[in-house]
Amino acid sequence: MDQCPIAGGTFVMGDAHGDGLPADGELPLHTIDVGGYVIDETAVTTADFATFVDATGYRTSAERAGTSAVFGALVADESTVVGQAPATPWWLEVRGADWAHPEGPGSDIDTRSDHPVVHVSFVDAGAYCDWAGRSLPTEAQWEYAARGGLHAARFPWGDELVDGPGVRRCAVYDPDVWGAPFPAEPGSGVGVVPTTPARSFAPNGFGLWQTVGNVWEWCADRYDPRYYRRSPRHDPAGPDRGASRVLRGGSYLCDDSYCSRYRVSARSHNTIESSAGNTGFRTVARP
């Protein structure tokens, strides 16, 4: 993994534009001091994760459970579907979906060695970090690095999502790819590889690639939507309690019709054994 040294500094953390969902806890804005650290230039790729699995024989949460969450438009074989998320029916629980079979049985990662690994739980990311002698970034480290030195910008490159008609700056939901507005019909995306190579588009001002869009990235922090109200100024590490962990950066499924979480300040969370076809991670050096 190519590494990016971050000198550290002071920044204003949170949503400076009022774009976020109140329940996500992107406010209040608060000033944070971050010490220096070293972070991966890209999300951990399928090739990186395969090296870890080959060396250790590790089985992911999805492999142990036998199922994981897949975007419905990608599912070719309905017989592999064993459940559906009530609040987000475009997510289907698919038997046999895992990091090596992102859309379930019949899919593979043969053409995705340089794509971010997906179907990785917080537990799985932690196991990789233990093997590699790395750690997950704190939420503050992640946001500071993702901003790339830009103050209060929506995205790692500025405030506008696109430079012009059809010009994308990151991998988010594209109706031209899926053939329909979000969430597209089940099976309509069969044959589509939803992620893009980890070094697609352009790096931010610090040299990090695709910190928003493509895949959600796990952070070390426990999640609390009220944490910003009491966050310490110097290198906050998240609350002491909480059943779920923070996710940052949005993914290829982020769309303004229901979710605008591909902004650098946006937050989400999930339980530590949960995995999905749009969730990965990047790491930082241990002190």
Side-chain angles (χ1 to χ4, degrees):
M1 291 289 292
D2 291 325
Q3 305 298 311
C4 182
I6 304 294
T10 299
F11 78 111
V12 177
M13 189 171 180
D15 174 20
H17 298 270
D19 297 328
L21 303 174
D24 286 347
E26 294 183 44
L27 294 172
L29 294 174
H30 54 297
T31 300
I32 294 295
D33 299 325
V34 179
Y37 57 103
V38 177
I39 190 169
D40 295 338
E41 288 185 1
T42 72
V44 173
T45 66
T46 58
D48 300 321
F49 201 78
T51 300
F52 157 62
V53 171
D54 289 344
T56 63
Y58 183 80
R59 297 183 70 241
T60 62
S61 297
E63 290 172 293
R64 294 192 300 272
T67 65
S68 192
V70 177
F71 181 44
L74 295 168
V75 178
D77 184 355
E78 292 186 3
S79 69
T80 64
V81 177
V82 296
Q84 184 178 42
T88 52
W90 48 86
W91 279 112
L92 303 180
E93 185 182 1
V94 173
R95 184 176 61 253
D98 56 49
W99 74 273
H101 308 90
E103 288 78 58
S107 65
D108 57 52
I109 54 173
D110 291 349
T111 62
R112 308 186 209 185
S113 63
D114 58 350
H115 288 229
V117 67
V118 293
H119 293 290
V120 174
S121 70
F122 178 86
V123 171
D124 302 331
Y128 175 95
C129 287
D130 289 343
W131 169 78
R134 309 281 292 175
S135 297
L136 291 173
T138 66
E139 191 174 10
Q141 287 175 330
W142 188 96
E143 184 170 326
Y144 184 72
R147 289 188 175 279
L150 296 182
H151 173 70
R154 281 190 174 94
F155 307 110
W157 56 84
D159 289 334
E160 300 301 323
L161 179 60
V162 297
D163 290 331
V167 180
R168 296 193 300 161
R169 302 290 297 269
C170 66
V172 294
Y173 189 87
D174 185 348
D176 292 334
V177 172
W178 301 102
F182 186 87
E185 293 296 321
S188 64
V190 172
V192 171
V193 176
T195 53
T196 62
R199 290 181 182 274
S200 298
F201 304 100
N204 70 7
F206 287 162
L208 275 67
W209 298 76
Q210 292 207 75
T211 54
V212 303
N214 217 9
V215 297
W216 284 102
E217 298 181 10
W218 288 107
C219 291
D221 306 40
R222 291 178 172 85
Y223 174 75
D224 182 346
R226 299 172 296 278
Y227 180 65
Y228 284 8
R229 302 175 191 176
R230 62 182 190 279
S231 172
R233 173 163 176 154
H234 301 288
D235 284 319
D240 295 331
R241 298 180 181 178
S244 60
R245 299 285 177 151
V246 170
L247 287 159
R248 287 302 208 108
S251 78
Y252 60 81
L253 285 181
C254 278
D255 180 76
D256 283 339
S257 67
Y258 85 103
C259 168
S260 59
R261 293 192 182 102
Y262 48 88
R263 298 168 293 103
V264 287
S265 65
R267 313 172 73 205
S268 189
H269 60 102
N270 213 335
T271 56
I272 63 172
E273 293 279 7
S274 296
S275 66
N278 66 342
T279 305
F281 66 109
R282 75 179 70 208
T283 73
V284 296
R286 291 181 174 173

